[in-house]
Amino acid sequence: MHSRFRSDRRLTTRMGITLFLLGLVYVGFVAALIVLLKSWVLVVVVAAAVLGAQYWFSDRVALFAMRGRVVEREEYPDLHGVVDRLCAIADMPKPVVAVSDMDMPNAFATGRNPDHAVVCVTTGLLRRLEPAELEGVLAHELSHVAHKDVAVITVASFLGVLAGLIVRFAFYSQLFGGGRRDQNTAVVFAAVMGVSAAVYAVSFLLIRSLSRYRELAADRAAALLTGRPSALASALTKVSGDIARIPTKDLRTAQAFNAFYFTPALGREPGVARLFSTHPSLEQRLDQLGRISAELGEAAAPGGV
């Protein structure tokens, strides 16, 4: 499937490198656990089950976690109309359309491929944005689907779950499995914990780096598809400002899914933590959209906002 979203070779290259490096890390991780735990069946079965479940059911998990539900055209005709129009322009399959009943203004896309994808917006986003702004946000999310980076980030983001689950299984197998509880057991358990921590740290850095770039790539692709980068910039400014006013306690549940959102669920701009953020700063995103607007001569174009 080749959509009319402008291809991004740098994004494709980064996704390939990230998956290759993560693959090496996790092959090494699984091999180390097999050596340490002396049970390849446990390690391989759990690893395969977690990865398979995440790949096939990530869209359902994300919708459930964010209280999203699939909506039909009769219930949200305007929303479906925008998605229909963008998919026709982009020449791509229409994803499932969902709405989350949350006041936090945001949107996300998930799914294993363009034929099995979901685009979800919150009611808070629908209440706040003008039609042109909503179109920009939805084009951004559809770009993630078309470029397949949503599938890559879905698998990559949840691979860290594998480390935690295997450690937990190892712990309980030692606790209730009737094995020897001696110094050797303690050494093995400490080694498993150390390997898992190292794997998580490397994965964390690789995924954050890819996530920041893919958000800039999606902004760029959406602006070029719609021809209205200023509308997307307006949506970014509005959504980021409104999220900053939502109490942090109300954002905590959503923060686990920051890598998937249009803008991160943060109460304020991070300081040093920006280096580990899932998204580039608002200033970076607006600067890029400003350059695209100048290139397109949008200010002089009819209908510019």
Side-chain angles (χ1 to χ4, degrees), residues 239-263:
V239 169
S240 298
D242 285 353
I243 287 179
R245 287 191 287 270
I246 294 177
T248 302
K249 63 182 179 63
D250 295 334
L251 298 176
R252 285 174 185 160
T253 301
Q255 286 173 356
F257 289 85
N258 270 346
F260 295 89
Y261 282 132
F262 173 62
T263 55

Side-chain angles (χ1 to χ4, degrees), residues 69 71-81 99 123 126:
R69 62 184 180 86
V71 296
E72 302 300 331
R73 183 182 303 277
E74 294 74 20
E75 190 174 359
Y76 284 89
D78 293 340
L79 176 60
H80 272 271
V99 171
T123 53
L126 294 176

Side-chain angles (χ1 to χ4, degrees), residues 12-269:
T12 302
T13 300
R14 284 170 181 258
M15 289 192 296
I17 292 173
T18 299
L19 285 180
F20 177 73
L21 292 176
L22 282 173
L24 288 180
V25 169
Y26 278 92
V27 167
F29 178 44
V30 171
L33 289 179
I34 291 174
V35 171
L36 290 170
L37 300 177
K38 298 181 176 59
S39 176
W40 69 267
V41 174
L42 169 68
V43 175
V44 172
V45 168
V46 172
V50 171
L51 187 57
Q54 178 53 35
Y55 181 76
W56 288 100
F57 303 113
S58 60
D59 52 348
R60 301 179 194 179
V61 172
L63 281 180
F64 176 78
M66 298 315 301
R67 305 199 298 274
R69 62 184 180 86
V70 176
V71 296
E72 302 300 331
R73 183 182 303 277
E74 294 74 20
E75 190 174 359
Y76 284 89
D78 293 340
L79 176 60
H80 272 271
V82 175
V83 175
D84 284 336
R85 184 167 62 255
L86 288 171
C87 288
I89 296 172
D91 190 23
M92 64 181 290
K94 181 182 179 181
V96 172
V97 178
V99 171
S100 171
D101 188 19
M102 298 178 65
D103 185 55
M104 178 188 70
N106 227 319
F108 67 89
T110 185
R112 62 184 184 272
N113 58 50
D115 291 314
H116 300 86
V118 177
V119 172
C120 181
V121 299
T122 66
T123 53
L125 186 82
L126 294 176
R127 284 196 300 270
R128 288 172 170 88
L129 297 190
E130 299 297 326
E133 296 169 338
L134 178 62
E135 182 181 68
V137 172
L138 289 172
H140 172 104
E141 297 304 330
L142 289 173
S143 150
H144 285 316
V145 175
H147 288 149
K148 300 184 176 70
D149 60 278
V150 66
V152 172
I153 207 71
T154 295
V155 173
S157 293
F158 282 85
L159 281 176
V161 175
L162 179 61
L165 283 178
I166 290 181
V167 169
R168 187 172 299 177
F169 272 103
F171 176 77
Y172 286 115
S173 67
Q174 289 294 332
L175 189 63
F176 300 112
R180 292 181 302 130
R181 295 170 177 78
D182 52 19
Q183 188 174 3
N184 289 337
T185 301
V187 170
V188 169
F189 181 72
V192 169
M193 293 294 290
V195 170
S196 300
V199 167
Y200 180 81
V202 172
S203 303
F204 181 90
L205 294 175
L206 288 173
I207 292 166
R208 291 305 190 274
S209 177
L210 174 62
S211 181
R212 288 192 295 272
Y213 183 83
R214 85 182 190 110
E215 293 302 330
L216 289 173
D219 285 347
R220 184 164 53 247
L224 293 172
L225 182 76
T226 63
R228 304 179 79 176
S230 61
L232 181 57
S234 176
L236 268 170
T237 302
K238 186 181 293 185
V239 169
S240 298
D242 285 353
I243 287 179
R245 287 191 287 270
I246 294 177
T248 302
K249 63 182 179 63
D250 295 334
L251 298 176
R252 285 174 185 160
T253 301
Q255 286 173 356
F257 289 85
N258 270 346
F260 295 89
Y261 282 132
F262 173 62
T263 55
L266 300 174
R268 57 183 178 179
E269 276 290 304

Side-chain angles (χ1 to χ4, degrees), residues 275-297:
L275 298 173
F276 308 110
S277 175
T278 56
H279 289 63
S281 68
L282 177 61
E283 290 76 14
Q284 286 178 281
R285 298 176 77 175
L286 294 179
D287 285 347
Q288 175 181 249
L289 291 171
R291 291 193 299 272
I292 295 173
S293 183
E295 292 169 4
L296 296 177

